[in-house]
Amino acid sequence: VIRRRGFYGGLIMSASHNPGGPDEDWGIKFNYSAGEPAPERITDRIYEETQRIESLRIADIGDVDLSAVGAVDLDGFSVEVIDPVADYLATLEEVFDFDLLRGLLQRRDFSMKFDAMHAITGVYAKPILCDVLGAPESSIMNGVPLEDFGKGHPDPNLTYAKELVDIMFAEGAPVFGAASDGDGDRNMILGGNFFVTPSDSVAVIAANAQACIPYFKGGLKGVARSMPTGAALDRVAEKLGLQFNEVPTGWKFFGNLMDSKALFGGTDYTPFLCGEESFGTGSDHVREKDGLWAVLAWLQILAAHNQPGKPLVTVESIVKDHWATYGRNYYCRYDYEGVDKPKAQAMFAAMTSATASNTGRVVQGNTIATADVFEYLDPVDGSISKNQGIRFLMEDGSRVIFRLSGTAGSGATVRMYIEKYVPPTGQLHEVCANVVGDLVKAALELSSLVKFTGMESPTVIT
Ligand code: MG
């Protein structure tokens, strides 16, 4: 809406992927004219301006009928009610080949399930997936947005989208499954009895972008992932000769790359694709992470791989073909929540001071090529972000990453990311937990996590 209508910006009331209720997190988000979350140079200015506020005036106006599209005059104060689905649909029609998508959805051997988790994408899913693309209404579950998200937790992952996961891992499962979060920017992609990790998802989209998605038919220029995201995308970038950036966690770093030429007169990274391990995928079409776009990107890849009259090519076979070409990054994340903050900080301080001595060490059969504290020099605005996590980069392409995130009051969360790289010639179809065992042991040894935090096991494994 912001980009199509040339707005100065947009205020979004959002609880993102949090559950509903008075005690839960929610907030007001400001996306500026380029479409993405406002960067610090803008939010800092907004804060400065708030320091100069001398008085507030509150307009005493009646409610606006949000069901009627059009302009309303309220004592000289004009309010226009718009249909955001129409604007979004128009953008998607420029990105994808809707005729091909319709063809896929009409196949008798194709079926899909989209879980809107009683959140915002319910409003978009029926008009776009059913009315325009022809999916049956039974393809959508939890499609009515509810104030309390149906008492659910609208975060699309294997834990909170359990209802969908149960359907997708049952006998006779649909061919394609997907879910989106509370405000529609996250996505989870599933095949029948198959889960696509977010790190693999962005890599598969990148590898197929030029051949399958009209928006990218002239070729991708740049791709990026957040540092803790699995490095599957790196292999694609290397093979296809794309500009690649590994950025700190936070969408603003992607935003700068997407705006590099338009706003800074720098290198053009667009058309651009990016993703995060936390179920965020996006491109420069809206400059935000975009859940439904990711769903359509996957459907478009499926559509392009499925010729009429030929046996169905599944999500699983597309991902397995990808691994056979690029190798597989087995990936998992351990969260240790509610850790005493000073203890967690002591653990990170110990790892930080040991980076030099850890480099070159062999731990649990893994040779550490580099141990460092991740720091990012933004190539667009020259800013430096320090202390973005501890990295242990193994000689074989495997990685162990630690990040510390603090939340006020409830202690700290230590995130431990484990990633085992297996080349195309290796064992590509193992159960992840069976493959990463030695790396987990190495991670616990390198961090002395149990000793520092007193926690024997993680609170969440993703
Ligand atoms: Mg969100």
Side-chain angles (χ1 to χ4, degrees):
V1 169
I2 295 169
R3 287 179 68 82
R4 284 198 91 79
R5 293 179 181 246
F7 287 156
Y8 176 73
L11 293 165
I12 301 163
M13 316 292 168
S14 171
S16 191
H17 49 276
N18 292 298
D23 301 326
E24 296 297 337
D25 283 341
W26 72 281
I28 300 172
K29 187 173 163 187
F30 179 65
N31 284 40
Y32 77 123
S33 55
E36 70 229 32
E40 266 162 36
R41 66 177 184 276
I42 291 177
T43 52
D44 286 350
R45 281 291 310 281
I46 292 172
Y47 179 73
E48 266 174 47
E49 292 298 325
T50 65
Q51 301 303 295
R52 284 196 279 273
I53 292 173
E54 286 170 359
S55 65
L56 286 173
R57 295 184 198 185
I58 297 172
D60 184 16
I61 53 177
D63 282 345
V64 174
D65 178 6
L66 296 178
S67 68
V69 170
V72 188
D73 184 80
L74 300 161
D75 297 333
F77 190 75
S78 181
V79 175
E80 187 181 349
V81 177
I82 63 163
D83 174 7
V85 179
D87 280 17
Y88 184 62
L89 179 59
T91 297
L92 293 183
E93 281 174 327
E94 292 166 7
V95 173
F96 299 110
D97 181 336
F98 272 39
D99 286 334
L100 261 184
L101 289 171
R102 277 186 208 101
L104 173 74
L105 295 179
Q106 274 158 23
R107 283 182 73 117
R108 296 177 68 97
D109 53 1
F110 184 83
S111 55
M112 65 172 283
K113 204 64 138 175
F114 176 77
D115 187 355
M117 303 191 86
H118 286 305
I120 191 61
T121 49
V123 176
Y124 292 77
K126 188 183 168 290
I128 294 172
L129 296 174
C130 302
D131 300 348
V132 176
L133 294 175
E137 287 195 22
S138 59
S139 306
I140 296 171
M141 56 192 278
N142 301 321
V144 178
L146 298 172
E147 280 186 9
D148 64 352
F149 307 113
K151 307 219 183 308
H153 184 159
D155 198 359
N157 56 41
L158 295 173
T159 304
Y160 294 124
K162 189 176 181 305
E163 198 184 343
L164 173 70
V165 171
D166 286 348
I167 292 169
M168 295 306 298
F169 281 84
E171 214 169 301
V175 174
F176 179 77
S180 196
D181 77 331
D183 60 357
D185 57 5
R186 292 187 173 196
N187 75 91
M188 175 170 68
I189 302 295
L190 301 158
N193 293 279
F194 193 81
F195 166 60
V196 185
T197 69
S199 305
D200 275 347
S201 177
V202 65
V204 172
I205 297 173
N208 286 278
Q210 184 165 13
C212 303
I213 301 173
Y215 187 78
F216 300 118
K217 73 170 185 284
L220 270 171
K221 268 211 187 76
V223 293
R225 62 166 172 81
S226 65
M227 186 275 277
T229 301
L233 184 62
D234 310 32
R235 312 266 161 194
V236 177
E238 193 180 14
K239 188 161 186 146
L240 302 184
L242 308 174
Q243 298 180 80
F244 169 81
N245 284 81
E246 179 181 38
V247 306
T249 298
W251 201 261
K252 63 183 176 181
F253 298 102
F254 295 134
N256 262 7
L257 293 168
M258 290 187 260
D259 282 338
S260 171
K261 181 158 188 288
L263 294 186
F264 296 86
T267 307
D268 189 2
Y269 294 93
T270 61
F272 180 87
L273 193 65
C274 54
E276 305 175 307
E277 46 80 29
S278 52
F279 296 86
T281 329
S283 97
D284 59 299
H285 71 294
V286 290
R287 285 167 161 69
E288 252 288 16
K289 55 187 170 214
D290 184 346
L292 261 182
W293 167 89
V295 172
L296 262 62
W298 267 92
L299 288 172
Q300 188 84 85
I301 290 166
L302 281 167
H305 282 264
N306 276 290
Q307 303 300 322
K310 295 270 173 61
L312 189 78
V313 177
T314 63
V315 171
E316 181 173 348
S317 66
I318 286 170
V319 175
K320 285 184 171 171
D321 282 353
H322 184 91
W323 293 338
T325 305
Y326 297 95
R328 178 174 176 188
N329 295 67
Y330 287 93
Y331 186 85
C332 63
R333 185 178 106 185
Y334 284 25
D335 289 357
Y336 297 81
E337 296 167 318
V339 176
D340 180 58
K341 207 167 178 180
K343 288 178 182 170
Q345 284 165 334
M347 182 181 102
F348 276 77
M351 276 193 284
T352 300
S353 60
T355 49
S357 58
N358 276 330
T359 300
R361 261 182 78 190
V362 180
V363 182
Q364 302 285 342
N366 298 282
T367 307
I368 301 169
T370 307
D372 67 4
V373 180
F374 183 60
E375 187 174 299
Y376 180 65
L377 167 64
D378 192 314
V380 179
D381 65 13
S383 62
I384 295 174
S385 305
K386 295 186 178 207
N387 291 320
Q388 296 297 316
I390 308 236
R391 301 190 303 180
F392 297 98
L393 311 178
M394 308 303 174
E395 244 170 22
D396 69 348
S398 300
R399 307 191 311 162
V400 168
I401 310 286
F402 286 90
R403 284 181 65 244
L404 178 62
S405 58
T407 32
S410 58
T413 298
V414 174
R415 295 192 209 282
M416 181 171 105
Y417 307 83
I418 304 291
E419 183 182 350
K420 174 76 183 172
Y421 177 67
V422 174
T425 49
Q427 298 295 322
L428 300 172
H429 304 145
E430 301 294 317
V431 174
C432 181
N434 298 343
V435 177
V436 298
D438 286 347
L439 271 179
V440 171
K441 279 187 209 152
L444 293 173
E445 188 179 327
L446 287 162
S447 61
S448 302
L449 184 140
V450 178
K451 190 185 101 199
F452 274 107
T453 68
M455 294 183 81
E456 292 286 340
S457 51
T459 44
V460 181
I461 296 180
T462 311

